[in-house]
Amino acid sequence: MKLLVDFLPIVIFFIVYKMTGDLILATAVLIPATMLQMGYTWLTTKKVEKMQLVTLILVVVLGGLTVALQDGQFIKWKPTIVNWLFGLVFLGSQFIGKKPVVQRLMGKSMELPSRIWRQLNLAWVVFFAAMGGINLYVAFNYSESTWVDFKLFGMLGLTFVFILAQGVYMSRFMPKDSEVED
């Protein structure tokens, strides 16, 4: 359910854009949809993650500029800024605190050597940096419609492939069933 709620604003943005072909209108709908999603999250969990809040702020600021100035260039920067901020947070966690972000997120469900957690964390840093760059490339070298498709399907697909590859990599370092029984 959380995944559906998290993706609902972008799905609404996508549907409005595909129905109207109007990036400004789709962005105008995205802003309250993101606010409602955040409100729902707060009401049901009594907490909001920091990056969700950052995303909301970026949607309001960049989306607001897009609507107010009737210029779609601002909203096209949002995925890049979000990805690069994620990358900076993951990179900073290599140096601040005892565990990198990946280990803090996944360490309760599996054990891996510290070196592997750091490698996975750095892989996420590279992934986020690349996704931000790819978004800019698509946004400013292809049609608006192509960018909207990429924003939903391309970014989601690349993230899915990256997570699968990460899972395969992690499986090499997890104890085998026979090792757990001994």
Side-chain angles (χ1 to χ4, degrees), residues 65-97:
L65 286 169
T66 294
V67 174
L69 301 175
Q70 298 290 294
D71 185 350
Q73 303 305 313
F74 294 102
I75 199 66
K76 290 179 181 180
W77 274 90
K78 190 209 83 74
T80 294
I81 294 170
V82 167
N83 275 290
W84 287 353
L85 285 174
F86 273 134
L88 285 173
V89 167
F90 276 60
L91 182 61
S93 75
Q94 294 280 114
F95 308 105
I96 300 170

Side-chain angles (χ1 to χ4, degrees), residues 25 105 112 122 138 152-153:
L25 177 61
L105 294 172
L112 294 170
L122 287 174
V138 173
L152 180 59
F153 300 112

Side-chain angles (χ1 to χ4, degrees), residues 7-173:
F7 278 103
L8 196 56
I10 188 61
V11 170
I12 292 169
F13 171 87
F14 179 81
I15 291 169
V16 170
Y17 180 81
K18 288 301 178 179
M19 289 175 63
T20 66
D22 187 341
L23 185 64
I24 307 301
L25 177 61
T27 302
V29 172
L30 174 67
I31 297 168
T34 305
M35 290 175 168
L36 287 171
Q37 178 251 349
M38 192 68 59
Y40 176 81
T41 300
W42 170 253
L43 287 173
T44 57
T45 66
K46 298 296 184 221
K47 64 180 179 176
V48 175
E49 296 169 15
K50 289 176 189 167
M51 287 312 285
Q52 286 178 314
L53 189 57
V54 169
T55 299
L56 173 64
I57 291 167
L58 287 171
V59 165
V60 170
V61 171
L62 296 174
L65 286 169
T66 294
V67 174
L69 301 175
Q70 298 290 294
D71 185 350
Q73 303 305 313
F74 294 102
I75 199 66
K76 290 179 181 180
W77 274 90
K78 190 209 83 74
T80 294
I81 294 170
V82 167
N83 275 290
W84 287 353
L85 285 174
F86 273 134
L88 285 173
V89 167
F90 276 60
L91 182 61
S93 75
Q94 294 280 114
F95 308 105
I96 300 170
K98 295 180 181 180
K99 298 176 183 176
V101 170
V102 167
Q103 187 175 3
R104 290 179 208 167
L105 294 172
M106 298 170 45
K108 290 183 178 111
S109 60
M110 67 188 69
E111 283 188 41
L112 294 170
S114 303
R115 168 181 69 83
I116 303 306
W117 285 121
R118 285 190 306 277
Q119 288 174 357
L120 291 170
N121 200 68
L122 287 174
W124 277 101
V125 170
V126 171
F127 175 76
F128 288 132
M131 289 297 285
I134 293 167
N135 176 68
L136 289 179
Y137 180 78
V138 173
F140 297 108
N141 289 291
Y142 290 90
S143 71
E144 185 177 275
S145 180
T146 299
W147 175 76
V148 170
D149 291 343
F150 172 76
K151 184 173 171 14
L152 180 59
F153 300 112
M155 293 184 104
L156 187 60
L158 289 171
T159 302
F160 182 72
V161 169
F162 179 76
I163 289 170
L164 282 177
Q166 182 180 17
V168 169
Y169 178 75
M170 289 168 52
S171 70
R172 297 174 31 204
F173 301 98

